[in-house]
Amino acid sequence: MTETQSEAIQQNRNDKMERNEAAELSLLVKSLRFERQLKEELENPPPSMMDSTVWGLCRGFTIGQGHFRIQAYIKTWDIKPVWVYNVDYLRPELDDDFKIHLYRAIFMAPTARKPIGDRVNIYFAMEISKTEPGAPVEVRFILESRRLIHTPGRSKFSEKWLTDITETKALFQRMMES
C-alpha cells in the first residue's frame, strides 16, 4: 500500500468518525427531548430516575461539576484497571427552557505491544432546566457505534461493551489492510 493510499484511508476513517460522533450526539439530544415531552404529556409525571445527590440539581450546575460527576460515575463501573480514560467537554445544545451539555469520555486499554490502543468513545448528555432550578440534572450516555441510550441508575455498565467495540475495530482494520 502506498503512502498516498494510506493517507486516503486514514482521512476516510476520520470523516466517518466525525459523522458517527454527530449521529450519536444527536441521538442523545433527541432522547432527552423525547423524554421531556413524554413527561409533559403525562398528568402525573414519574419522579426522575436520577439521584440528585449524585448528579446534582440544575441550580448551580457548572461544566466543571458535570465533568467531575461523570468521572465519579465512571469510577463506579466494574472495569479492569487496564482501561484508561479522559473526559472532555464538547459543547452545549440550547433549547427554549433547557440547556444540554455534551461530554465525551475516551477509553483506551494500552498494552506493551500497542501503547496507543483502539479508542472507544462514550458520549454523555446532561440536561439542565432553565426554568426549574430545583429539578435534578438528567443524564444519558451512549457508546460509539451503538444505538442504545443508557440512563445512569437504570443501566449497569459492562466492560464487555468496551471490548466488543475494540474487537470490532480491530476486525475492521484487518479487513481494510487485506
Side-chain angles (χ1 to χ4, degrees):
M1 180 180 309
T2 68
E3 188 173 327
T4 305
Q5 289 172 322
S6 180
E7 288 172 359
I9 289 171
Q10 185 60 41
Q11 182 59 44
N12 189 17
R13 278 191 211 128
N14 290 343
D15 292 345
K16 184 174 174 25
M17 284 180 8
E18 287 176 16
R19 284 192 306 272
N20 285 344
E21 180 176 291
E24 287 145 356
L25 292 172
S26 176
L27 266 176
L28 277 174
V29 170
K30 285 178 186 176
S31 168
L32 284 167
R33 288 178 181 152
F34 176 75
E35 282 191 35
R36 184 178 344 117
Q37 182 181 8
L38 217 65
K39 286 179 184 178
E40 290 170 1
E41 291 174 2
L42 293 171
E43 287 183 12
N44 297 313
S48 174
M49 291 294 287
M50 307 306 288
D51 182 352
S52 63
T53 59
V54 174
W55 295 99
L57 301 176
C58 296
R59 171 188 317 111
F61 174 85
T62 65
I63 292 169
Q65 180 187 62
H67 186 273
F68 173 77
R69 302 258 166 120
I70 289 170
Q71 286 184 320
Y73 174 62
I74 291 171
K75 288 179 183 174
T76 68
W77 293 351
D78 187 21
I79 58 176
K80 294 180 183 129
V82 298
W83 290 99
V84 295
Y85 65 91
N86 185 52
V87 177
D88 297 317
Y89 179 73
L90 297 175
R91 67 176 182 275
E93 290 278 330
L94 303 175
D95 270 355
D96 292 336
D97 296 331
F98 296 88
K99 191 176 204 178
I100 300 172
H101 294 278
L102 301 171
Y103 296 82
R104 174 183 58 208
I106 303 171
F107 283 77
M108 208 181 320
T111 63
R113 292 181 59 194
K114 197 172 182 182
I116 300 179
D118 289 327
R119 297 174 0 167
V120 176
N121 296 303
I122 301 177
Y123 301 99
F124 287 84
M126 302 179 97
E127 182 181 66
I128 311 303
S129 172
K130 296 178 189 175
T131 59
E132 297 180 43
V137 174
E138 296 286 341
V139 182
R140 303 292 180 275
F141 67 94
I142 188 170
L143 283 81
E144 72 172 90
S145 71
R146 302 298 190 257
R147 294 293 172 240
L148 183 61
I149 296 171
H150 301 276
T151 303
R154 291 187 208 168
S155 301
K156 183 175 178 354
F157 190 85
S158 171
E159 182 177 5
K160 183 163 178 24
W161 300 345
L162 297 172
T163 56
D164 285 350
I165 292 171
T166 58
E167 288 170 2
T168 300
K169 284 182 173 184
L171 177 64
F172 181 71
Q173 179 71 30
R174 286 192 301 272
M175 287 172 38
M176 292 296 291
E177 291 172 353
S178 52

